[in-house]
Amino acid sequence: AQSVSQHNHHVILSEAASLELGCNYSYGGTVNLFWYVQYPGQHLQLLLKYFSGDPLVKGIKGFEAEFIKSKFSFNLRKPSVQWSDTAEYFCAVNAKGSYIPTFGRGTSLIVHP
Amino acid sequence: KAGVTQTPRYLIKTRGQQVTLSCSPISGHRSVSWYQQTPGQGLQFLFEYFSETQRNKGNFPGRFSGRQFSNSRSEMNVSTLELGDSALYLCASSWTGDYNEQFFGPGTRLTVL
């Protein structure tokens, strides 16, 4: 069974700081990878996804993530965060051919203006 | 295109009661998944339905059940409620579930007293 680990449970940054949220998964086969974001009071929504191809994936709102297969990692990055990025971030993984993603426990990001 | 809708949005029940939650997927989506979200456990997969059939099931007790109708709408039922069932219950829909980009609803906040 696959599992997903998000190392940072709570992150507090000031505006304009750079962000990197870690995500590691355990599964030996081919995977699809996702980052979801849940803004306060809003639906969980897709930030970006990786299925195949270029391991550097660009998402919405200036976010990007890099898939490093050898490290089983899919870290989320943003060069300069804004107060509006305050949210809960979830990494998710599903094995190719599986219909169900496994989610990490989430990282709460607070950005101070 | 309308998003995933869930009703009711908030629910308060007492221990021992049962509850039914409803989810209407995005039009054309045939896969509906249910998740339980709690602060300590993150998102945990309950079950997934596709074309009225339960295709996948998570590790939850038999008190949690669901069904899907011919129009892809889905219901989730929890019988004999326990305090620990208090959570945000999320429904997500996708086209087939294969590449599994899921679109989430706003959730039903269930409080068990």
Side-chain angles (χ1 to χ4, degrees), chain A residues 38 43 46 49 51 99 101, chain B residues 35 37 97 99-101 104:
Chain A
Q38 190 172 33
H43 302 195
L46 185 68
K49 62 189 177 188
F51 289 161
Y99 303 107
Chain B
Y35 295 86
Q37 184 179 11
Y99 279 94
N100 212 32
E101 178 175 345
F104 285 82

Side-chain angles (χ1 to χ4, degrees), chain A residues 19-105:
Chain A
L19 170 72
E20 180 159 3
L21 301 182
C23 173
N24 285 88
Y25 66 92
S26 63
Y27 182 74
T30 307
V31 293
N32 297 324
L33 299 154
F34 309 84
W35 275 98
Y36 284 87
V37 61
Q38 190 172 33
Y39 297 105
Q42 295 189 29
H43 302 195
L44 201 65
Q45 58 184 283
L46 185 68
L47 203 53
L48 49 78
K49 62 189 177 188
Y50 172 82
F51 289 161
S52 63
D54 188 345
L56 185 60
V57 180
K58 304 284 187 185
I60 60 172
K61 303 187 180 185
F63 285 91
E64 65 178 31
E66 185 176 13
F67 171 46
I68 303 179
K69 190 175 180 181
S70 61
K71 295 184 178 180
F72 300 91
S73 70
F74 190 55
N75 293 353
L76 181 70
R77 299 194 294 247
K78 186 171 184 179
S80 177
V81 295
Q82 300 172 311
W83 173 78
S84 58
D85 293 325
T86 294
E88 189 94 15
Y89 293 81
F90 294 90
C91 179
V93 174
N94 74 279
K96 293 281 193 200
S98 166
Y99 303 107
I100 305 304
T102 299
F103 283 81
R105 291 195 175 185

